[in-house]
Amino acid sequence: MMDSRIVGILGGGQLGRMLVEAAHRLNLQTVILDAPKSSAKQINALHAHIDGSFSEPKAIQKLAEECDVLTVEIEHVDTKVLEELEASYKVEVQPSWKTIRTVQDKYVQKYHLASKGVATAESLSVESNTPVHLEDIGRKLGYPYMLKARTLAYDGRGNYVVSGPESISDALGALKDRPLYAEKWASFSKELAVMVVRRMDGVCISYPTVETVHEENICKLVYAPAAVSGVIQEKARKLAEKAVESLWGAGVFGVEMFLLEDGELLINELAPRPHNSGHYTIEACPTSQYEAHLRAILGLPLHPHSTSLATPSTHAIMLNLLGPSYDTVARKALEVKGATVHLYGKGQAKRARKMGHKLSIKSNHLLMQRTQTR
Amino acid sequence: MMDSRIVGILGGGQLGRMLVEAAHRLNLQTVILDAPKSSAKQINALHAHIDGSFSEPKAIQKLAEECDVLTVEIEHVDTKVLEELEASYKVEVQPSWKTIRTVQDKYVQKYHLASKGVATAESLSVESNTPVHLEDIGRKLGYPYMLKARTLAYDGRGNYVVSGPESISDALGALKDRPLYAEKWASFSKELAVMVVRRMDGVCISYPTVETVHEENICKLVYAPAAVSGVIQEKARKLAEKAVESLWGAGVFGVEMFLLEDGELLINELAPRPHNSGHYTIEACPTSQYEAHLRAILGLPLHPHSTSLATPSTHAIMLNLLGPSYDTVARKALEVKGATVHLYGKGQAKRARKMGHKLSIKSNHLLMQRTQTR
């Protein structure tokens, strides 16, 4: 066996599914905790999986009983039980519960990064969800500012742009009862992202800097590499590595950044797991983010070149297939030169739901020139 | 759904497993017929699979009841029941049972190819397994000649080199009771192979010409592209396409050829399914042979560029991981630049058993020059 330890994955969505696909290639055994028939479970008949939620302590305990190492494909998990499990020495948790706990509360994440000297947007804790307090914050951060849910937020759900004092009551209406924090507005020219692999020993290696394009707060497109100068690409990777070095445990991390108009970089947020902005690594890099995650959490070797683009002229464009139209786009993609399609086996194609993605690889010098000069 | 038809696969070994992997990426549903826990079944929890043998009519009928389209990952199947099933219009068989029946008896295969004007080694039917008859054949073909089992032969099992009249009794001892044929000795400088995709309408497109290196009759290495001139690469593809065009139904075909010392090409044998010499397509080509097979049998589109190498400078080397040492080699490969590992989830690593493969991708002009001048 490559490694006989069984890996338990909290969450069985598309990221879990692609983790399982990578695990199969290395004969690594995985067990999934999520709802019955979730994406990841569909492609693993080696084990009985656990039905339940990754936020239920009992379900997590049940998963732990079947596994040697626990990892996550989503950060909205119960970390208290992960802490107890790790302390019991019954199971390893990678990355550490400390990392997951720090990251899953976005204000704590920001505070942590700032305390480690990692550039990130100025953030203020919202102590009480009241107009008076939010006006006070407006005076400190200026308008517009971002009001964000600290926890359980994804794909922009939980974010509100406070454009001026007059929009505060609407903001509170939209986000009422949730723990909030406020972020200074970042006037960015591009959004960049870097996937970072953190080894057991804390050493980080990173994939190339990519550009992400969001539509209605959901990642729509990823360009790899980002069409920015080599200096900025390097700066973004260093910043992402610095952020991830400040955390605990092994695995891959998705680090999203803002490139400001003056060339400065700020971390927007990071995720302690494979990330949408790293799907392109399946085709475009020697080792995918999914396999890199498994190798990292199991302490298997990873050649430093594994995270670079396959060739100096490799260019990849990832398009998320969202909502009901996904199938039409996917079928059309079969006719496109250099395109590959990944569908996730999800049931109902609700609006904006991530149903799959399309990857287009191009590798020629003409394209490279075009991209760099646009 | 990309396509709601269910694909039944006769055989659940590594080729079936990689077919299932490709199917998952397109949300295509597969059901496997093979022994319990076979490689392919391990990675598909979407359906209950059929336990049994792909040579048992009843098991094949049971599979057919669950499926809309039947295909094979091995040609040693019962074709009588496939013929009946196709005639009943209950299920489609791709490629056609006629193709599988023609190919699975190697003498019939050779006879068919020769009758269609496809260059192949001169072959004679062995009418009786007697020394007298084999001596007669020796006078017609010259020595050495190859004595081969017509059916159920793979990885060289079923082949015997008849070096002279004195070795005839040993040859008969080794292959007694099997249906045999004799093949004129081909004095080759290299073995080449081409994967061909045959569309429903009979149009063929092919992957690049590769070189295969066998050790003890088992494929050990594949170099893509083959280090032969462009003229020979093209000639090999045309010959392979011509061979596959002469058959019936859709799917991918592995065509193995001898490159003789005088530059002539002869077909050695072909397989009506994905093939060991096409594993490299997973990483090295826009669409893998596995996905191409599925697209072909379901009539899904395939861009003509899909079967070319990812870039003009892409070079791939596939190494089969055989027998008990596979795990050590696989682990070591994790440390190698540009290498990927595919393990098949097989149980006992018996000698010479195909347990996995390693693929190394290189893409640079220096390597290309080196390969072409060696």
Side-chain angles (χ1 to χ4, degrees):
Chain A
M1 293 295 272
M2 174 67 70
D3 196 305
S4 60
R5 286 174 291 171
I6 297 177
V7 177
I9 306 176
L10 281 76
Q14 67 268 22
L15 300 172
R17 182 178 172 104
M18 291 183 266
L19 276 171
V20 171
E21 183 188 70
H24 285 320
R25 286 199 179 173
L26 295 181
N27 278 2
L28 300 173
Q29 298 174 80
T30 53
V31 180
I32 312 297
L33 164 60
D34 208 333
K37 297 188 181 168
S38 60
S39 290
K41 290 181 181 180
Q42 293 169 18
I43 69 164
N44 185 352
L46 277 169
H47 287 276
H49 300 288
I50 312 293
D51 291 339
S53 165
F54 39 78
S55 56
E56 268 176 56
K58 278 199 180 145
I60 298 173
Q61 271 158 347
K62 219 167 141 190
L63 178 69
E65 280 162 26
E66 306 291 325
C67 301
D68 303 290
V69 183
L70 292 185
T71 193
V72 298
E73 61 116 47
I74 184 163
E75 57 276 24
H76 306 306
V77 300
D78 185 289
T79 56
K80 199 158 170 297
V81 64
L82 291 180
E83 180 180 1
E84 289 162 11
L85 283 165
E86 199 179 274
S88 75
Y89 292 104
K90 279 185 192 148
V91 70
E92 224 179 297
V93 180
Q94 296 292 0
S96 165
W97 60 268
K98 265 170 82 177
T99 291
I100 301 168
R101 186 176 296 165
T102 302
V103 165
Q104 69 183 184
D105 181 322
K106 287 189 190 176
Y107 178 67
V108 175
Q109 183 190 134
K110 289 273 153 75
Y111 189 89
H112 168 84
L113 292 175
S115 75
K116 297 292 178 180
V118 178
T120 178
E122 187 185 343
S123 297
L124 293 174
S125 166
V126 174
E127 301 301 334
S128 67
N129 295 3
T130 59
V132 172
H133 186 49
L134 291 188
E135 279 166 25
D136 190 38
I137 285 174
R139 276 187 291 275
K140 285 182 190 149
L141 295 180
Y143 293 98
Y145 70 84
M146 289 295 293
L147 192 63
K148 292 185 170 183
R150 288 170 65 145
T151 55
L152 301 174
Y154 66 100
D155 289 346
R157 281 169 257 191
N159 290 359
Y160 202 99
V161 180
V162 181
S163 48
E166 68 289 352
S167 67
I168 283 177
S169 70
D170 285 349
L172 280 173
L175 298 174
K176 65 175 170 212
D177 302 334
R178 296 183 72 167
L180 302 176
Y181 77 106
E183 223 179 87
K184 194 179 158 78
W185 188 260
S187 188
F188 61 83
S189 61
K190 279 181 195 296
E191 289 185 88
L192 304 179
V194 171
M195 295 303 310
V196 177
V197 191
R198 192 178 199 277
R199 295 195 328 210
M200 294 279 189
D201 59 7
V203 172
C204 288
I205 64 171
S206 56
Y207 284 90
T209 302
V210 302
E211 178 178 353
T212 58
V213 178
H214 290 75
E215 263 180 35
E216 300 180 29
N217 288 308
I218 296 177
C219 177
K220 181 78 187 167
L221 284 161
V222 172
Y223 295 93
V228 296
S229 72
V231 172
I232 293 193
Q233 285 188 29
E234 249 344 271
K235 216 173 121 185
R237 290 177 60 183
K238 290 295 157 220
L239 180 62
E241 289 175 11
K242 187 178 174 186
V244 175
E245 278 162 9
S246 78
L247 297 164
W248 305 270
V252 305
F253 292 74
V255 184
E256 294 181 282
M257 283 163 279
F258 295 128
L259 173 62
L260 304 188
E261 276 147 8
D262 63 1
E264 207 194 330
L265 288 164
L266 292 181
I267 300 239
N268 174 17
E269 60 180 69
L270 62 81
R273 51 162 172 83
H275 192 263
N276 199 163
S277 66
H279 290 346
Y280 77 92
T281 60
I282 295 177
E283 283 88 359
C285 301
T287 304
S288 75
Q289 64 167 345
Y290 303 100
E291 186 170 328
H293 184 74
L294 293 165
R295 293 204 208 178
I297 66 172
L298 293 170
L300 294 169
L302 185 70
H303 189 281
H305 172 77
S306 305
T307 56
S308 56
L309 290 166
T311 77
S313 62
T314 297
H315 280 69
I317 302 172
M318 193 283 309
L319 171 74
N320 267 345
L321 304 180
L322 303 170
S325 70
Y326 86 99
D327 208 36
T328 315
V329 183
R331 244 193 108 104
K332 198 73 200 158
L334 300 184
E335 295 167 26
V336 175
K337 183 172 168 177
T340 48
V341 172
H342 295 249
L343 300 180
Y344 305 149
K346 291 187 181 176
Q348 219 195 323
K350 279 176 279 188
R351 196 182 118 73
R353 190 173 191 200
K354 291 175 180 167
M355 303 302 289
H357 72 269
K358 169 190 156 189
L359 194 88
S360 294
I361 285 268
K362 290 191 178 142
S363 180
N364 65 55
H365 298 282
L366 273 175
L367 178 83
M368 189 154 63
Q369 285 162 8
R370 200 162 9 111
T371 313
Q372 283 174 350
T373 55
R374 72 171 175 178
Chain B
M1 293 293 274
M2 174 66 73
D3 195 306
S4 60
R5 287 174 291 171
I6 298 177
V7 177
I9 305 176
L10 282 77
Q14 67 269 20
L15 300 171
R17 182 177 172 104
M18 291 183 266
L19 276 171
V20 171
E21 184 188 69
H24 285 320
R25 287 198 178 175
L26 295 182
N27 277 3
L28 300 173
Q29 300 176 78
T30 53
V31 180
I32 312 298
L33 163 60
D34 208 331
K37 296 187 184 173
S38 59
S39 291
K41 290 181 180 180
Q42 293 169 17
I43 69 164
N44 185 352
L46 276 169
H47 287 275
H49 299 289
I50 313 293
D51 291 339
S53 165
F54 39 78
S55 56
E56 268 176 57
K58 277 197 180 145
I60 297 173
Q61 271 158 347
K62 219 167 139 189
L63 178 69
E65 280 161 27
E66 306 291 325
C67 301
D68 302 291
V69 182
L70 292 184
T71 193
V72 297
E73 63 117 45
I74 184 164
E75 57 276 24
H76 307 305
V77 300
D78 185 290
T79 56
K80 201 159 167 299
V81 66
L82 292 180
E83 182 180 358
E84 288 162 12
L85 283 166
E86 200 178 274
S88 75
Y89 292 103
K90 279 185 192 148
V91 69
E92 224 181 300
V93 180
Q94 295 293 0
S96 166
W97 60 268
K98 264 169 85 177
T99 290
I100 300 167
R101 186 177 297 165
T102 302
V103 165
Q104 71 182 185
D105 180 322
K106 287 190 190 176
Y107 177 67
V108 174
Q109 183 190 135
K110 289 274 152 76
Y111 189 88
H112 168 83
L113 292 175
S115 76
K116 297 292 179 180
V118 178
T120 176
E122 187 185 344
S123 297
L124 292 174
S125 164
V126 173
E127 301 300 335
S128 66
N129 295 4
T130 59
V132 172
H133 186 51
L134 292 188
E135 279 166 25
D136 189 40
I137 285 174
R139 276 187 293 275
K140 283 180 189 153
L141 295 180
Y143 293 99
Y145 71 82
M146 288 296 292
L147 192 63
K148 292 185 170 183
R150 289 170 63 146
T151 55
L152 301 175
Y154 66 100
D155 288 347
R157 280 169 257 189
N159 289 359
Y160 201 99
V161 181
V162 181
S163 49
E166 69 289 350
S167 67
I168 284 176
S169 68
D170 285 350
L172 280 173
L175 298 175
K176 66 177 170 211
D177 302 334
R178 296 182 73 167
L180 302 176
Y181 78 105
E183 222 179 87
K184 194 178 158 79
W185 188 260
S187 188
F188 61 82
S189 61
K190 279 181 195 299
E191 289 184 89
L192 304 179
V194 172
M195 295 304 309
V196 177
V197 191
R198 192 179 198 279
R199 295 194 328 211
M200 294 279 188
D201 59 7
V203 172
C204 288
I205 64 170
S206 56
Y207 284 90
T209 302
V210 303
E211 178 178 352
T212 59
V213 178
H214 290 75
E215 263 180 36
E216 301 181 28
N217 288 308
I218 296 177
C219 178
K220 182 78 187 166
L221 285 161
V222 172
Y223 295 94
V228 296
S229 70
V231 172
I232 292 190
Q233 284 187 29
E234 248 345 87
K235 216 173 121 184
R237 290 176 61 182
K238 289 295 156 217
L239 180 62
E241 289 175 10
K242 187 177 174 186
V244 175
E245 278 162 7
S246 78
L247 297 164
W248 305 270
V252 304
F253 292 75
V255 184
E256 296 182 281
M257 284 163 278
F258 296 129
L259 173 62
L260 304 188
E261 277 146 6
D262 62 2
E264 207 193 330
L265 287 164
L266 292 181
I267 300 243
N268 174 18
E269 62 182 68
L270 63 81
R273 51 165 171 81
H275 191 263
N276 198 162
S277 66
H279 289 346
Y280 77 92
T281 59
I282 295 176
E283 284 87 359
C285 301
T287 304
S288 76
Q289 64 166 343
Y290 303 100
E291 187 170 327
H293 185 74
L294 294 165
R295 292 205 208 177
I297 66 173
L298 293 170
L300 293 169
L302 185 69
H303 189 280
H305 172 77
S306 306
T307 57
S308 55
L309 290 166
T311 77
S313 62
T314 296
H315 279 70
I317 302 173
M318 193 285 310
L319 172 73
N320 266 344
L321 304 180
L322 303 169
S325 69
Y326 87 98
D327 208 37
T328 316
V329 182
R331 245 193 107 102
K332 198 74 200 157
L334 301 184
E335 297 167 26
V336 175
K337 182 174 167 175
T340 48
V341 172
H342 296 249
L343 300 179
Y344 305 148
K346 291 187 179 176
Q348 217 194 325
K350 280 176 278 187
R351 195 182 119 71
R353 191 175 190 200
K354 290 172 181 170
M355 303 302 289
H357 72 268
K358 169 191 155 187
L359 194 88
S360 294
I361 285 268
K362 287 184 182 152
S363 181
N364 64 55
H365 297 284
L366 273 175
L367 177 85
M368 191 155 62
Q369 285 161 9
R370 199 161 10 110
T371 312
Q372 284 175 350
T373 55
R374 71 170 180 184

